[in-house]
Amino acid sequence: MIANLLLGLRLAVGGGRMSGQALLRLTMTAVGIGLVVAVLLPAASVSSVVDAREDRAAATAEITQPNPGVDPLYVVKWSAIRGNQFVDIHSVAAEGPHAPVPPGLSAVPKPGELIVSPELARLLAEPDGAGLRARLPAAPSGTITKPGLVDAGEITAWYGTTVADAKSNPDVETVYGFGGGEPPRIAVATTTLIAVLPVVIALLLPLLIFVTTASRMGAAQRDQRLAALRLLGVDARQIRWVAAGESLLGATIGLVLGVALFLAVRPTLSSLDLFGYRVFGEDFVPPWPLAVLVVVLVPALAVGAALFGLRRTIVEPLGVVRQGKPVRRRMWWRWVITGVGVLLVGTAYATEPGQSSDSVLIALTGGSAFLLVGVTVLLPWIVEGIASRLHGGPPAWQLAVRRLQLDSGTPSRVVSGLVVVVAGSILLQVVLNSLLAADAAEAKTDPSWAGAAHVSVLADKATAAEAQQRVSGVAGLTQVGTIRRSSAVAGDQWTSVEIGSCAALALRAQLPSCVDGSVFSVGDAPMPTGSVRFTESSSDTGGPQWTVPSGVVRVPASSAARNLDGTLLVTDSAIAGLPVPVELTTVFVKGPGTTAELGDRVATAVASLTWHVEVDTDERASAPTGVLGTIRAVLLTASLFVLAVAALSLLMLAVEQITERRRALAALAASGVPLGVLARSSFAQTALPVVIGVVLAVLTGTGLTLPILRAADIPLKLDGGLIASMAGAAVAAVLVVTACTIPLLRQITKVESLRAE
């Protein structure tokens, strides 16, 4: 057996002199297997990535139980916000020299010292990072290392403060150590693997088809060599081992190439931002059982494809005989795969829209994967059935149809890679497009008042007065108004209340008219009447009583700021000097420039107040839309790449078929058949399975979106341009393949090709 394999390896390189076709076959096989390995190794590393992330999350968890001999570390958590960027800041102060040091830091930051994450340092260094720098209490003096970060894209910072300042915060935490968490490894890893299953199938299956197509290139030349070996006395069983050895060389080179490509690409994986998370590239380390499985199975795929191609081939000393009569396809397993997919996807209709459980979501994911595979295995049967019913037409059409009637399985299997890319791309892109449309619709209906910047201050009169003084000193402001937020309760009805002057309330809503003593109700929510009691929180049982006046004016929610529906806007005079408990004091401002620029100027004025204040704007946070847009762009790029691989598979198939039929094509040309007829025949032979496959892919891709979007209770939003572009790309691939094969067809159809060798 070993000797036969070694003989096959020698024959793979032309017995010492590499021919052009042998080199092309070896290169295609190695590249295809290399791409498959480079995709499979990161996929096999998903569990390791999740485990490493959960380990870091557990290591950064805080221990709040007192520990003898350990000084307490006081931690105050707050955020600096600019548009869609949220910086999580931990103000820390050590009670003594034996206080615990946060992970990723070499020491507890001293008062005024700011240690930032690498991602935050990158954002601050960008040209538009001035606005974010204005919201930080100090300039960065260090960087958090990997043990202190759960995600590579984490935007966080540690800021040193005094013990007295930290203790003044009612939400201060006393920490005695870190590393008190337990990661839920199995559940998270399993869920993640299930979530990426359809994407892996849609992107990986065409690569596998590319490998099998490349492994079977040069079949005619291989058959001649095998027949010569039979003439030398090699038996039929040994011939198969020789054929396996020929494929093993390309598989081994491809395996090495794939591992090298994986190691080269792994560091760049940290820059990918999907679903709001970024992982560390060095965490992509596949567990050794999965790594061994990839190393063994992927080369076995190439070898198996070569042996599978010999299943209906009889190699004899005087030549090679192939079975001409097509075998009847076994359909039961094809329908089982498709039926399982339909049943799993149909579980979405067993629950109400938007009420799907985790089990239904898992069934949808698995069903999508089964149906994508079902499309590929059903396509040869569909193409064969349609081709058998086609008769008549121009000569080019008849030649193409007759060829498909004799052998429709091989082109259909190659086209199935292109089909699964189109179907998977349509599925993913339509779902993301619907999510984007729903998010845009929500943004359109979500009311927003003229974007003013605001500074929120905790219920601290001294800090509120200082913040208001600093904000009022900002140059160029046209309006400044202070709003105090409280709550009013009447029986079981709770109502949010905002109190301020008419000028301040005008920054919150478009009021029809306002005088001292006016009261406004935003939206159509039920309004409290009679006597109510002011309270600072739902647990507060005391508070002054207040009688809601009868002349409350309704203000449409569309004419007020966000999240004000059902809120009472009360002027200072309307409460008649009652000691109203204040939950939050907010200073709203307006001025020239954009809302972001206005917020930057205000943030600069109050930056030294750290966690005591929070600067924000009324701009809608569109981070989900940005994340979805990134995902959509990444998946579209990956789809186009795999589509190009599928087109390359078509090209290899067309070249192989023309090479195998060179004598028949030369005979047709010698009989007077024009080259154009043969070229159109080659085009139709490839185009017919592609057109059938594209129609099937569009139906499958759009059909799968319906139960998925129903489970999420999101309206369907079809992107006709995207569907047309994906279908057009598939058809364009056929045109490119035909154009690339015309020079070979012209050479093959010369009279010299009829000479005996």
Side-chain angles (χ1 to χ4, degrees):
M1 182 182 71
I2 302 299
N4 295 327
L5 287 174
L6 293 177
L7 178 60
L9 291 175
R10 292 184 58 191
L11 292 175
V13 294
R17 49 187 182 86
M18 179 73 74
S19 64
Q21 289 186 347
L23 179 61
L24 178 62
R25 180 176 68 253
L26 182 64
T27 302
M28 290 297 183
T29 303
V31 170
I33 291 181
L35 291 175
V36 172
V37 171
V39 172
L40 281 179
L41 288 179
S45 306
V46 170
S47 60
S48 299
V49 172
V50 174
D51 287 345
R53 182 183 185 276
E54 295 300 332
D55 287 341
R56 291 193 299 272
T60 56
E62 299 163 348
I63 300 175
T64 57
Q65 292 81 12
N67 189 1
V70 177
D71 296 325
L73 179 71
Y74 299 105
V75 181
V76 177
K77 299 177 182 179
W78 54 288
S79 299
I81 305 172
R82 186 180 190 271
N84 298 328
Q85 296 172 334
F86 292 80
V87 183
D88 294 324
I89 302 177
H90 298 70
S91 291
V92 294
E95 184 72 60
H98 301 292
V101 178
L105 276 64
S106 58
V108 177
K110 300 176 182 178
E113 188 178 11
L114 184 69
I115 312 297
V116 301
S117 64
E119 179 65 13
L120 178 55
R122 185 188 66 82
L123 293 175
L124 294 174
E126 290 183 347
D128 58 347
L132 200 56
R133 291 194 297 269
R135 287 161 169 78
L136 298 181
S141 57
T143 304
I144 304 172
T145 58
K146 181 180 176 181
L149 302 171
V150 178
D151 297 307
E154 195 169 348
I155 305 177
T156 186
W158 293 85
Y159 176 68
T161 187
T162 62
V163 174
D165 186 47
K167 286 185 175 181
S168 66
N169 190 308
D171 297 325
V172 64
E173 297 180 5
T174 305
V175 178
Y176 292 90
F178 295 89
E182 281 294 332
R185 290 189 180 89
I186 297 178
V188 175
T190 303
T191 303
T192 306
L193 288 173
I194 292 175
V196 301
L197 182 60
V199 179
V200 171
I201 288 178
L203 300 181
L204 188 59
L205 192 58
L207 293 177
L208 297 177
I209 294 174
F210 175 80
V211 171
T212 57
T213 304
S215 301
R216 297 169 65 177
M217 283 189 65
Q221 292 77 13
R222 181 198 62 188
D223 293 345
Q224 292 176 1
R225 293 194 301 272
L226 296 180
L229 291 176
R230 289 281 285 141
L231 187 61
L232 294 176
V234 179
D235 60 29
R237 183 181 61 83
Q238 292 174 317
I239 284 295
R240 294 187 176 274
W241 286 110
V242 171
E246 289 190 38
S247 301
L248 189 59
L249 177 62
T252 304
I253 297 175
L255 184 62
V256 175
L257 178 63
V259 173
L261 184 61
F262 166 67
L263 295 176
V265 172
R266 187 172 64 168
T268 65
L269 297 177
S270 299
S271 61
L272 294 179
D273 187 356
L274 295 177
F275 306 100
Y277 296 99
R278 281 176 48 190
V279 298
F280 290 95
E282 57 268 25
D283 289 341
F284 281 89
V285 179
W288 71 265
L290 293 180
V292 171
L293 187 64
V294 171
V295 170
V296 172
L297 286 185
V298 174
L301 174 67
V303 175
L307 296 178
F308 187 74
L310 293 174
R311 73 193 189 283
R312 288 190 295 163
T313 303
I314 302 174
V315 181
E316 295 294 341
L318 298 180
V320 177
V321 179
R322 291 187 177 88
Q323 296 180 9
K325 182 179 179 181
V327 297
R328 183 178 180 85
R329 301 187 185 279
R330 296 181 177 89
M331 295 303 302
W332 64 268
W333 63 274
R334 305 172 192 264
W335 289 115
V336 166
I337 294 176
T338 307
V340 170
V342 172
L343 290 177
L344 291 176
V345 169
T347 57
Y349 294 91
T351 59
E352 294 296 325
Q355 303 296 323
S356 299
S357 61
D358 291 341
S359 59
V360 173
L361 297 180
I362 292 175
L364 280 173
T365 304
S368 302
F370 271 100
L371 279 178
L372 288 176
V373 176
V375 170
T376 64
V377 298
L378 282 178
L379 181 63
W381 174 73
I382 296 175
V383 172
E384 182 181 279
I386 294 177
S388 63
R389 291 169 174 78
L390 296 177
H391 303 283
W397 177 255
Q398 292 186 42
L399 288 173
V401 170
R402 183 55 182 162
R403 180 62 185 174
L404 287 175
Q405 289 174 347
L406 292 175
D407 180 19
S408 64
T410 301
S412 298
R413 281 190 293 270
V414 176
V415 170
S416 62
L418 186 144
V419 170
V420 76
V421 175
V422 176
S425 300
I426 291 176
L427 166 63
L428 297 173
Q429 297 294 333
V430 170
V431 170
L432 292 175
N433 189 60
S434 299
L435 291 173
L436 288 170
D439 190 70
E442 181 182 355
K444 185 176 181 180
T445 58
D446 192 12
S448 60
W449 183 229
H454 57 268
V455 180
S456 300
V457 187
L458 294 175
D460 183 342
K461 293 183 179 180
T463 306
E466 183 179 359
Q468 187 173 6
Q469 181 182 1
R470 293 191 182 192
V471 171
S472 300
V474 177
L477 296 183
T478 58
Q479 291 178 274
V480 179
T482 302
I483 297 291
R484 294 170 291 158
R485 183 178 301 169
S486 184
S487 297
V489 60
D492 296 332
Q493 182 181 359
W494 290 82
T495 304
S496 179
V497 180
E498 294 195 358
I499 305 168
S501 63
C502 284
L505 295 179
L507 294 173
R508 299 293 284 152
Q510 187 175 4
L511 305 177
S513 62
C514 181
V515 295
D516 287 342
S518 297
V519 178
F520 305 90
S521 177
V522 179
D524 299 325
M527 179 182 60
T529 58
S531 179
V532 298
R533 176 173 51 83
F534 282 110
T535 178
E536 187 176 350
S537 64
S538 59
S539 60
D540 189 2
T541 58
Q545 298 287 328
W546 178 61
T547 301
V548 180
S550 58
V552 177
V553 180
R554 289 279 187 178
V555 177
S558 58
S559 300
R562 293 185 178 92
N563 304 321
L564 279 187
D565 194 6
T567 301
L568 285 179
L569 304 180
V570 181
T571 56
D572 293 321
S573 300
I575 59 175
L578 290 175
V580 178
V582 178
E583 298 176 359
L584 189 68
T585 301
T586 306
V587 182
F588 291 88
V589 300
K590 279 190 177 181
T594 64
T595 304
E597 294 171 346
L598 180 62
D600 294 344
R601 297 200 301 270
V602 173
T604 304
V606 299
S608 61
L609 296 179
T610 62
W611 55 266
H612 297 280
V613 299
E614 182 180 282
V615 180
D616 200 359
T617 63
D618 287 341
E619 293 177 308
R620 173 177 170 80
S622 57
T625 301
V627 171
L628 291 176
T630 302
I631 296 173
R632 182 180 184 183
V634 171
L635 290 178
L636 183 59
T637 303
S639 300
L640 292 177
F641 168 74
V642 180
L643 188 63
V645 173
L648 187 58
S649 300
L650 285 177
L651 178 60
M652 290 191 298
L653 172 67
V655 170
E656 184 69 14
Q657 288 184 336
I658 291 176
T659 303
E660 288 183 353
R661 299 166 57 207
R662 62 187 184 279
R663 294 186 182 278
L665 293 174
L668 288 173
S671 302
V673 178
L675 179 64
V677 172
L678 298 179
R680 290 193 297 273
S681 170
S682 177
F683 169 77
Q685 181 181 336
T686 307
L688 183 59
V690 169
V691 170
I692 296 173
V694 167
V695 173
L696 186 61
V698 171
L699 294 177
T700 303
T702 54
L704 277 174
T705 60
L706 295 176
I708 293 176
L709 294 177
R710 185 183 188 275
D713 196 18
I714 297 174
L716 176 65
K717 179 66 175 180
L718 289 176
D719 189 344
L722 172 69
I723 296 176
S725 62
M726 294 301 297
V731 176
V734 180
L735 294 174
V736 172
V737 166
T738 304
C740 292
T741 56
I742 288 179
L744 176 62
L745 187 64
R746 188 186 303 275
Q747 181 181 4
I748 289 295
T749 53
K750 293 181 179 179
V751 178
E752 288 80 0
S753 299
L754 292 175
R755 293 177 179 175
E757 298 180 359

